[in-house]
Amino acid sequence: MTDRYAVIGNPVAHSKSPQIHAVFAELTLQDMTYEAILAPPDGFTQAVRTFMAAGGRGVNVTVPFKLDAYALAATRSPRAEAARAVNTLTFSPRGIHGDNTDGVGLIADLTRNLGLDLAGRRILLLGAGGAARGVLLPLLETKPAVLTLANRMAEKARALKAAFEPLADGCAIEGGGFAELAGRQFDVVINATSASLSDEAPLLPAGLYAADSLAYDMMYGKTTAFLVAARAQGAARLADGLGMLVEQAAESFFLWRGVRPDTVPVLELLRKS
Ligand code: ATR
């Protein structure tokens, strides 16, 4: 019987996940379908239960349900625990298992697709919400020289720094407001704020971009205000989050099917469309 998977979100019509997983399934000869399910804001758990009862094997979870998915999971991976958010649920007779593939997706894009070696680099992560939290542990695991967390509300970045310091394993971790960044330089600047959603860019001091630096926006689909500002400030390279989207999907696919799809042709296909 064909195995069923889905992405649950609200909104979800714009999601590229069905297209991505369809190509993965084709490339790896997996007998499966992948659909998009729109759940009402208070209807996430019901949507999951209905899909499970209909024979679903697993789901991806997107905005605004990653915390609901975390709460629903009976067991969770360490990376989901650190993120306190779940983007991948797997159903089995043992129950619902939650994982978070966003962080490894980001790292895979930065290292494999963009060719960066993050060890010893100075990384600036902008934002202190769910998106930032989701990628923190995998970023620390790449052993940067320093991981600086900066947020519009400085207190939130300081709290996040304190929460992750025990997991930093020798890597320097800092947290504060944007103004405190004045005079500093970074090799990689990652925008994990939701500012791009409202066509805004975080208000950063000038001069943050070191020579050969990369500006990375976790949003995808357009040149965001953050990327425009980064170019004007001298960032050598710009990247949006499309590669992260494809790589997190590949990791979810691997969790469900035990097969790693080649992401390069999928990324090329999406870039063309
Ligand atoms: P997500 O799950 O996308 O991380 P979130 O948890 O609501 O969403 O967090 C949104 C993040 O984007 C926060 O860090 C927020 O900063 P504040 O904590 O100071 O509110 C940040 N953000 C949103 N709009 C922003 C803007 N225009 N400039 C800078 N930061 C912004």
Side-chain angles (χ1 to χ4, degrees), residues 43-271:
F44 174 74
T45 301
Q46 187 54 49
V48 171
R49 299 259 177 238
T50 303
F51 188 62
M52 281 175 76
R57 300 286 303 270
V59 290
N60 281 133
V61 182
T62 187
V63 175
F65 298 126
K66 290 184 187 183
L67 299 181
D68 300 74
Y70 178 86
L72 181 64
T75 55
R76 304 177 200 109
S77 67
R79 60 194 182 190
E81 289 291 358
R84 280 205 221 132
V86 157
N87 79 334
T88 308
L89 292 174
T90 306
F91 312 142
S92 80
R94 280 167 285 128
I96 301 178
H97 181 70
D99 205 334
N100 191 315
T101 66
D102 286 330
V104 282
L106 172 67
I107 305 302
D109 193 33
L110 289 171
T111 57
R112 284 211 298 271
N113 300 333
L114 298 167
L116 290 187
D117 180 3
L118 297 173
R121 299 300 196 98
R122 297 161 293 179
I123 302 180
L124 171 60
L125 181 65
L126 304 170
R133 191 171 183 110
V135 300
L136 254 171
L137 186 62
L139 274 175
L140 283 169
E141 285 170 352
T142 66
K143 301 269 175 228
V146 58
L147 178 58
T148 303
L149 314 177
N151 195 49
R152 187 171 55 182
M153 287 164 66
E155 257 332 292
K156 280 167 73 178
R158 284 195 249 282
L160 208 51
K161 176 220 156 172
F164 278 78
E165 206 148 42
L167 307 173
D169 193 24
C171 157
I173 178 166
E174 308 172 324
F178 294 151
E180 292 161 50
L181 300 171
R184 303 282 303 275
Q185 287 215 312
F186 298 92
D187 304 302
V188 182
V189 180
I190 301 166
N191 183 21
T193 74
S194 55
S196 303
L197 285 178
S198 43
D199 266 325
E200 292 171 24
L203 291 172
L204 302 172
L208 294 181
Y209 290 93
D212 292 330
S213 56
L214 170 79
Y216 190 101
D217 201 325
M218 282 168 50
M219 296 282 151
Y220 63 86
K222 61 176 180 183
T223 306
T224 62
F226 164 75
L227 291 177
V228 171
R231 176 177 285 147
Q233 280 293 314
R237 300 173 71 192
L238 308 178
D240 75 358
L242 192 65
M244 175 179 173
L245 177 80
V246 173
E247 296 297 341
Q248 64 79 28
E251 183 73 13
S252 296
F253 190 90
F254 174 70
L255 290 174
W256 292 329
R257 311 300 300 180
V259 194
R260 265 188 203 287
D262 183 4
T263 53
V264 174
V266 183
L267 199 46
E268 276 171 10
L269 189 81
L270 290 177
R271 289 249 181 257

Side-chain angles (χ1 to χ4, degrees), residues 7-18 35-39 62-63:
V7 56
I8 302 185
N10 188 339
V12 79
H14 67 287
S15 173
K16 293 187 191 299
S17 294
E35 60 210 86
I37 297 173
L38 176 71
T62 187
V63 175

